[in-house]
Amino acid sequence: DAGVTQSPTHLIKTRGQQVTLRCSPKSGHDTVSWYQQALGQGPQFIFQYYEEEERQRGNFPDRFSGHQFPNYSSELNVNALLLGDSALYLCASSLTDLNTEAFFGQGTRLTVV
Amino acid sequence: QKEVEQNSGPLSVPEGAIASLNCTYSDRGSQSFFWYRQYSGKSPELIMFIYSNGDKEDGRFTAQLNKASQYVSLLIRDSQPSDSATYLCAVNRRVYKLSFGAGTTVTVRA
């Protein structure tokens, strides 16, 4: 049973560029959430997707957008990258309508230079 | 006030001892409580979850929840060097976002 997979694992981008990160949820999971984790901090919620709709959003600017596909996989897009966007981006999948735990992928380390 | 606060670390314990980690949360509507372990440079790994007041044991780990006090804790018994990691407390309302604390770094001394 494949767990949550993310790609790429590492990425270096230049300030002002755009980036797309990808996530495939754990088999059977239908909900995908994205988190940003800066060094030395806990993960911060970006948004959550269910049934191809953004269901909840954290305190992140509109430069952060996402998408969920019919197969439940998801993308996170960040436009106009800032140096402060450098972080570990984590995707978590879960099964909605149940009070179940979320499982994280290995993360994408984004460095903006 | 932060949504989730954890006791400041780092926490250093000798091998074989008990490590005690504490977490408080501000949202009284929180329903689910999680402890994740995160090794340096890796993603969080779920080690325990608890929904009801009281204790929940899983191997060397025990989670304790007191909703009236808005407090959740994690005890690691017989600590091993492999337990050296950052422990993240997370809470949520049903299926929505997880709110994380900043984490407590634990070092187990051999």
Side-chain angles (χ1 to χ4, degrees):
Chain A
D1 178 23
V4 183
T5 58
Q6 291 185 243
S7 63
T9 55
H10 296 83
L11 203 53
I12 300 175
K13 288 287 190 178
T14 303
R15 195 170 39 181
Q17 286 188 315
Q18 178 264 344
V19 68
T20 297
L21 310 181
R22 296 176 175 82
C23 172
S24 293
K26 183 179 170 65
S27 178
H29 284 184
D30 57 6
T31 300
V32 173
S33 303
W34 287 92
Y35 293 82
Q36 179 195 66
Q37 187 176 24
L39 204 60
Q41 298 181 24
Q44 297 296 311
F45 177 76
I46 303 175
F47 41 54
Q48 183 183 85
Y49 277 85
Y50 170 66
E51 291 188 340
E52 302 179 50
E53 296 285 335
E54 182 184 288
R55 177 158 66 176
Q56 190 180 21
R57 187 179 182 91
N59 294 324
F60 279 81
D62 292 344
R63 298 187 297 108
F64 290 77
S65 63
H67 188 78
Q68 186 179 34
F69 299 95
N71 66 353
Y72 307 123
S73 66
S74 177
E75 289 183 347
L76 164 65
N77 300 292
V78 187
N79 294 322
L81 285 167
L82 303 174
L83 297 179
D85 294 331
S86 296
L88 180 67
Y89 288 85
L90 296 162
C91 168
S93 77
S94 57
L95 187 60
T96 202
D97 293 332
L98 289 175
N99 223 6
T100 59
E101 57 275 26
F103 293 91
F104 284 86
Q106 79 276 27
T108 294
R109 173 71 63 186
L110 173 64
T111 302
V112 182
V113 298
Chain B
Q1 182 184 13
K2 292 182 179 179
E3 291 182 80
V4 180
E5 298 202 55
Q6 297 186 236
N7 52 326
S8 59
L11 179 65
S12 180
V13 298
E15 186 173 356
I18 295 175
S20 178
L21 306 173
N22 302 317
C23 173
T24 58
Y25 58 95
S26 61
D27 183 358
R28 283 196 170 275
S30 297
Q31 297 182 323
S32 307
F33 308 86
F34 306 89
W35 284 99
Y36 286 85
R37 176 176 62 200
Q38 187 173 29
Y39 293 113
S40 181
K42 302 296 184 182
S43 65
E45 172 194 10
L46 180 70
I47 54 173
M48 288 284 293
F49 61 90
I50 187 168
Y51 304 137
S52 304
N53 279 328
D55 295 357
K56 180 181 179 182
E57 186 174 316
D58 185 359
R60 296 185 295 109
F61 299 96
T62 298
Q64 299 173 316
L65 174 62
N66 184 325
K67 289 186 179 180
S69 300
Q70 295 176 242
Y71 172 91
V72 59
S73 67
L74 179 71
L75 298 177
I76 307 173
R77 293 184 302 281
D78 187 24
S79 295
Q80 302 297 309
S82 59
D83 295 327
S84 297
T86 296
Y87 290 81
L88 297 163
C89 172
V91 305
N92 79 347
R93 279 175 174 255
R94 197 170 159 76
V95 300
Y96 300 121
K97 70 167 187 175
L98 285 169
S99 297
F100 283 87
T104 300
T105 298
V106 174
T107 301
V108 180
R109 310 186 303 271

